[in-house]
Amino acid sequence: MSHSYLPAGLPIPVPEADGLSTQYWEGLRKNEIWVQRCKGCHTWQWGPEWMCHACNSFDTGWEKIEGSGRIYSWERPWHPVHPALKGHGPYLIVLVEFPQYGNVRMIGNLLGDPRQTVEIGAKVDAVFEHHEDAAPPFTLLQWKLAN
């Protein structure tokens, strides 16, 4: 992708110092979405944790999921939440639910007209927004309405 949905100057997302989310961020660089799943009870979970939310096992792993879900909730911010966003609004943030993966939910921006009508339950597909010129390079997970 040659441009960004939001302006330059926002903090660069990187894995935490403990490395817990590294699999997720490295997956995005390869146009893949990776989510944790308990190896014992098979519960899906997001965000990453050292232990399973359901059975408290420390035996969790990562599995690749398909990048299609549905809008569970959304917001249209008009006011800047970071200095880089001054004069850049509105924009759309969606909470995407994956029914096929235990209803885990992820946040991202909904691409397109920021004043578009947004419907709860609308189907969305993943868009991988690569930032190759950043140091370090990174990829954001964005969303677009499914056709």
Side-chain angles (χ1 to χ4, degrees):
M1 180 171 235
S2 60
H3 70 292
S4 299
Y5 179 65
L6 297 176
L10 293 169
I12 294 174
V14 295
E16 297 88 353
D18 63 10
L20 181 59
S21 65
T22 299
Q23 180 73 39
Y24 170 75
W25 292 108
E26 288 179 353
L28 293 183
R29 298 288 299 144
K30 298 181 278 188
N31 294 342
E32 298 172 349
I33 304 171
W34 289 79
V35 174
Q36 276 188 321
R37 191 169 193 193
C38 180
K39 293 178 181 178
C41 73
H42 306 289
T43 298
W44 296 93
Q45 65 183 27
W46 184 258
E49 296 287 345
W50 288 111
M51 63 189 287
C52 175
H53 297 171
C55 72
N56 297 325
S57 169
F58 286 97
D59 193 14
T60 60
W62 291 85
E63 292 190 24
K64 185 168 66 167
I65 67 170
E66 295 299 317
S68 60
R70 64 182 179 206
I71 296 175
Y72 180 83
S73 184
W74 65 279
E75 180 178 4
R76 187 184 336 257
W78 290 80
H79 303 287
V81 296
H82 186 277
L85 295 174
K86 186 175 182 178
H88 186 85
Y91 55 96
L92 289 170
I93 302 169
V94 289
L95 181 60
V96 174
E97 183 175 63
F98 299 92
Q100 66 276 40
Y101 303 110
N103 293 321
V104 296
R105 298 176 189 140
M106 293 184 171
I107 288 181
N109 295 305
L110 182 63
L111 304 179
D113 183 349
R115 290 176 174 87
Q116 68 185 291
T117 300
V118 181
E119 294 183 21
I120 300 298
K123 293 182 179 180
V124 292
D125 293 323
V127 175
F128 299 91
E129 183 181 287
H130 298 283
H131 295 261
E132 300 301 331
D133 295 338
F138 66 95
T139 301
L140 294 178
L141 178 58
Q142 310 284 30
W143 299 95
K144 67 176 181 174
L145 292 173
N147 295 330

